[in-house]
């Protein structure tokens, strides 16, 4: 069970891009810890999404850390571009990376926080040789590529295993989850050991507005710590 502070990372994949700056400002005002930016190339995942210009635009409207989730082939080719645009941290996938250690070390050399992502079917054991080098681990709780997916409940035991590995190997490393996170699933992942929750449609897709949605999600997450 997570006994620390739960951090919220709103994912702009579900935001209204006609009002993106205002929605990000609302998330910051409501206590967001960081802004999560999903970058997709249509190869690593079957979808296309935002690039470095979005990061550059967001850098002008928020003081929050910009967390760039690179769901792309050959992320090394784009690290410099996103760094110049204003990214504060990078999340790279274990799957499909020819030399994960080299990628992680390059991100660190750029002075950025680095995290490794594992997909739902990837076992926690693959983290054993890289965990000591990263600032966070992201466990995907849906298959990456699209928003508005349903939470995969069989990922909960893996979140617990990753929490145990972090506590043994890299205390202080963030354990983040991404996919289908809402007021119902947030307490489940926090109880399993997650301390950073990525949420898109549960924050930006609700008619009640970003601030109210953030407050509701935060309250639900904190239930697991009482």
């Amino acid at each position: 069970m997570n006994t620390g502070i739960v951090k919220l990372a709103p994912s702009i994949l579900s935001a209204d891009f006609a009002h993106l700056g205002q929605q990000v400002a609302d998330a910051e005002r409501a206590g967001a810890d960081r802004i999560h930016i999903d970058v997709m190339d249509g190869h690593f995942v079957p979808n296309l999404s935002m690039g470095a210009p979005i990061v550059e635009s967001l850098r002008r409207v928020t003081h929050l850390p910009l967390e760039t989730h690179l769901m792309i082939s050959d992320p090394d080719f784009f690290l410099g571009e996103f760094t110049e645009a204003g990214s504060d941290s990078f999340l790279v996938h274990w799957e499909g990376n020819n030399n994960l250690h080299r990628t992680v070390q390059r991100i660190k050399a750029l002075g950025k926080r680095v995290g490794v992502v594992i997909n739902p079917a990837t076992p926690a054991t693959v983290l054993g040789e890289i965990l000591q080098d990263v600032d966070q681990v992201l466990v995907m709780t849906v298959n990456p590529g699209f928003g508005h997916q349903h939470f995969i409940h069989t990922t909960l035991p893996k979140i617990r295993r990753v929490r145990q590995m972090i506590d043994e190997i890299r205390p202080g490393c963030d354990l983040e989850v991404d996919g289908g996170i809402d007021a119902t699933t947030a307490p489940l992942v926090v109880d399993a050991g997650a301390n950073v929750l990525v949420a898109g449609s549960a924050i930006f897709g609700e008619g009640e507005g970003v601030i109210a949605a953030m407050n509701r999600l935060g309250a639900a997450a904190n239930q697991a710590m009482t």
Side-chain angles (χ1 to χ4, degrees), residues 23 27 42 65 83 160 177 202 220:
Q23 289 196 328
T83 295
R160 293 188 179 94
V177 293

Side-chain angles (χ1 to χ4, degrees), residues 39-211:
V39 179
M40 309 178 194
D41 64 358
H43 297 283
F44 184 75
V45 293
N47 195 10
L48 289 169
S49 72
M50 60 213 80
I54 294 294
V55 174
E56 186 175 5
S57 297
L58 288 176
R59 186 71 290 160
R60 296 195 294 265
V61 300
T62 182
H63 296 291
L64 289 176
L66 300 179
E67 174 178 87
T68 305
H69 182 181
L70 296 176
M71 289 176 273
I72 62 178
S73 302
D74 299 316
D76 299 61
F77 289 114
F78 299 93
L79 295 175
E81 179 181 352
F82 279 99
T83 295
E84 291 178 7
S87 293
D88 296 291
S89 64
F90 291 99
L91 294 162
V92 293
H93 278 256
W94 179 88
E95 304 85 5
N97 191 304
N98 292 325
N99 195 325
L100 181 61
H101 183 268
R102 180 176 60 198
T103 301
V104 166
Q105 293 305 316
R106 184 174 175 205
I107 293 170
K108 294 173 74 171
L110 289 168
K112 305 301 179 181
R113 283 172 51 85
V114 59
V116 169
V117 188
I118 54 175
N119 286 338
T122 302
T125 52
V126 302
L127 298 170
E129 300 303 322
I130 197 67
L131 184 56
Q132 64 269 19
D133 295 310
V134 301
D135 302 297
Q136 62 191 83
V137 171
L138 171 58
V139 175
M140 292 299 302
T141 45
V142 299
N143 289 299
F146 298 93
H148 306 283
Q149 296 188 67
H150 294 297
F151 180 85
I152 299 174
H153 284 264
T154 52
T155 59
L156 287 169
K158 181 164 65 175
I159 296 170
R160 293 188 179 94
R161 288 193 291 272
V162 175
R163 167 51 61 193
Q164 183 178 13
M165 293 175 68
I166 287 174
D167 290 345
E168 293 176 355
I169 299 172
R170 183 74 165 167
C173 178
D174 279 336
L175 174 48
E176 191 167 15
V177 293
D178 181 4
I181 302 301
D182 56 23
T184 300
T185 57
L188 302 179
V189 296
V190 171
D191 184 67
N195 71 301
V196 183
L197 311 184
V198 178
S201 56
I203 291 174
F204 294 116
E206 297 295 326
E208 60 189 340
V210 172
I211 294 176

Side-chain angles (χ1 to χ4, degrees), residues 10-33:
S11 169
I12 63 168
L13 187 64
S14 298
D16 179 356
F17 274 64
H19 304 94
L20 180 59
Q22 183 58 56
Q23 289 196 328
V24 168
D26 288 345
E28 182 171 4
R29 188 160 57 250
D33 178 76

